Amino acid sequence: MSHSAADPSTYMVHPVSKPILIDGNWEKKEWKEVPAIEIAFHMGETPSFSPKTEVKLRYDKDNIYGIFKVQDRYVQCLVQEINGPVSTDSCVEFFFSPDVAAPLEYFNLEINCSGVPLLHYVTSPRKEYKVLDPEDIRQIEIAHSMPDKVDPEIREDTTWYIEFKMPVSILKEHRNISTPAPGVTWKANFYKTGSKTSNPHYFTWNEVINDRPDFHLPRYFGNITFQ
């Protein structure tokens, strides 16, 4: 299971004929119909425990749907404000470039295990980015299986889920996008982290080659192709 920038991972995103109910249920029919991908490449030092994280996407003409399943330990959630530092908690992330003409410009959607999101639009990593307004971000419907706050940290085996429905209209407010349709490919990567838990870790779907953990390297994004 080795991929590089020259050999990116590819995920086929299947359409859905009617809106998906966002309830965090990994076992429902709409998700059983499609394959999952695993977020399995780690950056930096190998953590003492490696969570198993899987993700699935679907789409319709108005929305991108996603669901994460995380078999985890050392689960913590302290951040409760939209656009707060959610990646310090047990967190899953979806970075994606929705304009095929600008593959290095991207949105980063980050959601901690209690369903609190962050959403930025980045034109130059670490230098130029826009923090989306919380009122816009609240249009993203999110279901989570963990409580609104997880403190103290849960060190035992714990499986948790995040499911989301993201309106494409939010993205169109900030840039031109290549509307999801059969044959359209976006650049993207998925991540699992928990940088301030007692088991810091940085996992990616498409492999990222870098001396230190850094998710903001769009040249290492894989492909998501709409079917």
Side-chain angles (χ1 to χ4, degrees):
M1 188 172 63
S2 180
H3 302 275
S4 68
D7 181 26
S9 302
T10 298
Y11 180 62
M12 302 299 182
V13 185
H14 293 253
V16 62
S17 59
K18 61 181 181 179
I20 298 176
L21 174 66
I22 303 303
D23 59 3
N25 181 6
W26 178 268
E27 299 299 329
K28 63 178 175 260
K29 178 177 180 290
E30 292 88 346
W31 292 121
K32 281 195 168 184
E33 295 173 344
V34 299
I37 50 178
E38 189 170 347
I39 304 172
F41 288 105
H42 69 82
M43 300 186 70
E45 295 184 7
T46 304
S48 58
F49 171 77
S50 296
K52 180 179 179 179
T53 307
E54 298 172 277
V55 60
K56 300 181 179 186
L57 291 185
R58 298 199 76 168
Y59 79 103
D60 60 27
K61 65 183 180 66
D62 297 316
N63 304 285
I64 304 294
Y65 303 89
I67 191 166
F68 291 85
K69 176 183 179 181
V70 187
Q71 295 170 259
D72 212 354
R73 294 181 194 164
Y74 310 101
V75 178
Q76 175 179 282
C77 182
L78 304 177
V79 178
Q80 297 182 291
E81 65 275 9
I82 292 176
N83 286 327
V86 295
S87 66
T88 61
D89 291 331
S90 301
C91 183
V92 289
E93 306 184 3
F94 174 35
F95 284 36
F96 56 97
S97 303
D99 182 355
V100 298
L104 299 182
E105 299 181 10
Y106 59 93
F107 290 86
N108 54 300
L109 174 63
E110 308 174 12
I111 307 173
N112 69 16
C113 65
S114 294
V116 179
L118 170 153
L119 184 58
H120 294 173
Y121 171 58
V122 182
T123 52
S124 180
R126 312 291 186 189
K127 297 177 182 178
E128 298 175 6
Y129 62 92
K130 181 177 182 179
V131 179
L132 272 68
D133 189 280
E135 290 305 311
D136 289 338
I137 298 173
R138 287 190 181 97
Q139 296 178 56
I140 303 174
E141 190 175 345
I142 299 172
H144 56 97
S145 61
M146 299 301 292
D148 290 340
K149 188 173 185 179
V150 182
D151 183 32
E153 182 180 81
I154 301 171
R155 299 197 166 201
E156 297 78 23
D157 289 343
T158 303
T159 299
W160 53 274
Y161 302 89
I162 290 291
E163 186 178 21
F164 68 85
K165 173 184 177 182
M166 178 173 57
V168 175
S169 59
I170 297 174
L171 312 179
K172 290 180 177 179
E173 292 177 11
H174 301 280
R175 67 159 303 111
N176 293 326
I177 75 164
S178 304
T179 302
V184 172
T185 296
W186 289 1
K187 303 297 291 185
N189 214 343
F190 301 93
Y191 307 111
K192 167 68 176 74
T193 189
S195 63
K196 293 291 182 67
T197 68
S198 64
N199 182 57
H201 55 275
Y202 306 86
F203 282 86
T204 75
W205 166 56
N206 196 64
E207 188 176 19
V208 178
I209 310 299
N210 202 56
D211 291 338
R212 60 181 180 81
D214 187 354
F215 293 164
H216 290 266
L217 296 172
R219 67 182 181 275
Y220 289 108
F221 285 5
N223 300 316
I224 59 171
T225 298
F226 298 96
Q227 299 296 287

